[in-house]
Amino acid sequence: MADAHPAGLAHHFESFEQQREASFFGMWVFLITEIMFFGGLFAAYVVYRSAHEEAFVLGSSLLDIRWGAFNTVVLIGSSLTMALSVWAARTSKRKLLVVFLLLTVLLGSIFLGVKAIEYSHKFHEHLVPGPSFAMDHFPADEAPYVQMFFNLYFMMTGLHALHMVIGIGLLLSLVVMAARGAFTPENHNLVEGVGLYWHFVDIVWIFLFPLLYLLGRSA
Amino acid sequence: MGDQMTTPAERKRLNYLNADYGVKSWLLATDHKRIALLYLLSITVFFFLGGLMAVGIRLELATPAGDLVQPDTYNRLFTMHGILMIFFFLIPSIPAVFGNFLIPLMIGAKDLAFPKINLASWYVYSIGGLFTLWSLIQGGVDTGWTFYTPFSTTYSNTYVIATALGIFIVGFSSIMTGLNFIVTIHRMRAPGLTWFRLPLFIWAHYATSLIQILGTPVLAITILLVGAERLFHIGIFDPAYGGDPVLFQHLFWFYSHPAVYIMILPSMGVISEIIAAFARKRIFGYKVVAFASVTIAVLGFLVWGHHMFVSSQSPFTGVVFSFLSMLVAIPSAVKVFNWTATLFEGSVSLDTPMLYALGFIGLFTIGGLTGIMLANLGIDIHVHDTYFVVAHFHYVMVGGAIMGYLGGLHYWWPKITGRLYPVFWSKLAALVVFVGFNLTFFPQFLLGYLGMPRRYYSYPEDFQVLNVMSSAGATVLGVGYLIPMIYLVWSMRYGKRAGANPWGAVGLEWETPSPPPTFNFDETPTVDHEAYEYTSPTETRVA
Amino acid sequence: MNLWPKRFPLFPETASRLAQDVDQLYFFALLVTAVFSLLIAALIFYFIIRFRRRSEDEVGQPERAGLWLEITWSVIPLVILLFMFGWGSKVFFDIRKPPRGAIEYYVTGKQWMWKFQHPEGPREINELHVPLGQDIKLIMTSEDVIHSFYVPALRAKMDVLPGRYTTFWFNAEKAGAYRLFCAEYCGAEHSYMRGSIIVMEPDDYEEWLATRGQTTAAAKTGADLFSAQTCDTCHRSDSAAQAPILHGLFGKEEQLADGSLVLVDENYLRESILNPAAKVVAGYNALMPTYQGRLSEEDLVGLILYIKSLGGPDSADASASNQATTQASSDREE
Ligand code: HEA
Ligand code: HEA
Ligand code: CUA
Ligand SMILES: [Cu+2]
């Protein structure tokens, strides 16, 4: 029986449609777990922010809003190129697919580069949590909570960056496969799956940016 | 395991065990049935390791003085006992073994939706296990399985990070399993197999998977935060940075309370299958029981605060959590009543799996009702963190979940291996386990109400008599667990051959030969009837 | 005193009326547990005998309609549960909510001992002497990890946390020595973090206090600290220009700079000293320095006791006499 299966259809599926639905559905379920994963951090952030509002505003004023805004634009752009990649795969435009995927990789790397610049600034300013944290830059009774802000800042953006790195790895392997012509209009589930993942990572940033850089700042 | 199956009579029919030989064919297997066996082997190792720690605990507690081991050693014993038993045995147990083996069979599919992810989950599990074993060999960890901060982040100087990393990793195997099951149950059912024709085992696993995918990531991030705090002084829970140690408890129990339903729901699913098969009757109130599983899974996410009644959370929060905990008991109660009602006007036979199932009902009822006492604010303020709690959770986990696991093992063993095990020994073992269990853990209820705190390696002298009873019971229980080990292994070579359907049960898994062929069914079955349709004359036993 | 008698009890001793309340609730829950467990067991035994399989290919009878059954056996447990929930909550609030006028003791837990501070001054370790028949309130904190203050004879416990105060209260009705356990796992010697609560006839208690010799009341120590830590350079009793007057503060609703009101309790005082900027009093700037890291838990307790001894909103006499400590704080409770 298994021999009767067309190429690209795994042995345990009855049809391409079933295979496609399964992989889609699986991707969504996976993204739900990701939401819960980041959710724990967001919960901690909300709890502590409401307890130490001033310190958090102080902390957030030390982030460079220009870099943050620039990165937001970069990521939105990368979501666009990702969506275009999926479209190219669906309409079997192999060259365009490779181009759009590479563009997405490029934008993702720019984001990470900017993040690296920001991190290194924080290192120089001793704003990285730990023994060398610049406690004496702040009023003594706010300093611990400013540090808490940076605890959360590094955890949240760090985990987000880690997701970006994984995403870029996935994109690069897609590039290789696409160049070999591995995707057909019936079977490009991988592109769509990675696309969903990429959009998800962008959306996380869309939440992180206002939460970390903007909130309470105008005051 | 495979090469015992090569008698000429058997060779004419290829099955998943003899289709392929060699280590590689197992270690790279994507067949859900083989992966189930890999899991079976690994969790058994961890069960006996955890059991060994329990032996250490009970030996130390046989006398009031702390004389056998150092306090540090004792603290590592119960911590590793809890961690191994929960994360490496009970949580994967039924889902990863029977769920893996049976879900595709029961829904008439060739495999799970993502066979490679399934295999990966076993590797992830093993890596997590190796990490934990490594930290155990290094000296283990002494924080209790609950890792409460600030003790775990600042004060303990044991191998917290290695162990926590082990749990972090094993969590992903749990997520992968849950994800696979959900997609499989949604997308891979055989034609005609509608939701309300599914066996209750499937419903139970569906509910379990929901918890796995929603809860486990929260545990993952919580562990990550503990690790970051220990390693990099990113003090999210440290009061010195304005952190709140109680926030850790909230995050931990947000996963770990639902996790207790990861442990019990699959077991309940097994019980439904066994009761139906040995009463030859459809489970009473099928739909109610099916929905009860999902209700438990969902409500289970709203009650975590009942572990924290005296943690300094506000009394009003406590009241809310108490109330919700009471509500979550209703679907459990309904299940117990429905199983009992199924026996009414059934055709009841007391084969070994049925003995375990009936044991489950009795012990789970006691465990659950003592859970109600704990959920009661006025009582919990006294018995929180005493042996009353220890007794409660061993009743539900050992008396409940493991009874279900052993029941399932005896029910599907003929399907898995194609062999029958000796009836006398199996019934004797069930009896020994039941008696040993009650002797071990019933005295602990009394100890708890008397006020003996848990995690004590030395205790006032007047608690000794009850403790000795408990230790004696543990010995009996240990023997009870050893007996099945012996005859089940024995049966793989010498057991009588089981036919496709030794119990005369209905269900797709019984329609394919034992052991099943690699792709489960020669032809994808079509389903046109409800689950447990015992009204038509059943096939006679093929044994 | 024979504190750990050799015997074989099956039920704990009882030292207070609330403990008896807990017992009653427990007996009721036990009854429910027993009834339902036995009911299920009896039904199972009856069914497996009555409906045992009589021939190899016999099958069960089809299910009879059972909606009303499902409803019955959902509603009956629900009613029982709601009843037990209500009762349990009542007992819980009784135990958690200290009555007005309780005598206040301070408890500090640390790995692995209990330290007690009497309002009259004496300090004790692992033993707490208290008078019989009095409402006694413990204000507890930890120097390191989480501990839990547990007295089985009182059927009550409360976690003791670093960085905040939690409370525990009781009124012992029987003289005697009662076990005190640490119930929250706290490290190597957790099982030895035990002690005893010694309940004495009031006269004996007075006598006991006397034998403790010359001690300075905790509030007095606090008064010394108040000047030693130079608090009094800003907080003066005659002028509110620099910093708020602390007389009559405890127990009142303080207006904060952001417009909100907070109740001045121990946790507020603690925060005001350790982290003054968190809640700034209306009309003042956040000038006060933090004392984080400069005061031990005991120092803090002393300062708080001192500030409490300065009277509350409805105590006419706000002078800081030692005697007033207990008196004044009792008037303010809740
Ligand atoms: C398989 C695991 C499992 C299961 C299923 C349960 C089920 C329940 N548990 Fe348990 N529990 C644990 C594992 C489990 N628990 C563990 C591991 C701990 C300790 C963790 C630690 O601190 O280390 C714990 C601790 C724990 C506590 C905290 C105690 C403390 O630390 O002070 C509480 C408090 O509410 C509680 C409550 C409950 C309740 C209400 C249920 C309910 O779901 C039970 C519902 C079932 C029934 C009620 C029985 C069936 C009913 C009838 C037959 C009929 C009649 C009914 C009525 C009249 C009500 N559990
Ligand atoms: C699935 C979960 C699971 C299982 C199966 C068990 C099984 C057992 N547990 Fe455990 N237990 C926990 C989960 C579990 N436990 C958890 C979560 C805790 C809390 C930890 C914490 O506080 O952090 C705990 C804590 C705990 C304590 C409290 C320790 C303390 O607070 O100080 C005790 C004490 O008696 C105990 C005993 C036992 C015993 C006797 C068994 C028996 O059922 C074990 C029987 C098995 C064997 C005996 C091994 C197999 C047989 C042999 C190897 C043969 C040789 C042996 C003999 C002949 C004796 N357990
Ligand atoms: Cu202190 Cu346990
Ligand atoms: Cu719980």
Side-chain angles (χ1 to χ4, degrees), chain A residues 1 11-14 18 21-22 25-26 29-30 32-33 36-37 41 48 52 144-145 147-148 151-152 155 159, chain B residues 110 112-115 182-183 186-188 213-214 217 220-221 225 234-236 240-244 247 519 522 524:
Chain A
M1 275 198 75
H11 70 85
H12 58 294
F13 288 115
E14 300 289 335
Q18 190 187 31
E21 280 177 349
F25 196 68
V29 174
F30 170 71
I32 291 172
T33 70
M36 296 306 287
F37 186 71
L41 268 180
Y48 287 141
H52 309 292
Y145 313 121
Q147 178 164 353
M148 175 62 80
N151 283 341
L152 286 162
M155 280 307 283
L159 272 183
Chain B
K110 294 200 186 81
L112 290 176
F114 307 113
I182 288 194
V183 177
H186 268 277
R187 291 278 174 253
M188 310 282 287
I213 60 157
L214 293 176
I221 190 73
L225 292 177
I234 300 195
I236 304 270
Y241 301 117
D244 183 353
L247 178 67
F519 291 122
D522 296 335
T524 303

Side-chain angles (χ1 to χ4, degrees), chain B residues 333-352:
Chain B
V334 166
K335 284 192 167 195
V336 169
F337 291 131
N338 278 294
W339 289 321
T340 311
T342 307
L343 300 176
F344 179 75
E345 294 188 344
S347 162
V348 182
S349 90
L350 295 180
D351 292 289
T352 313

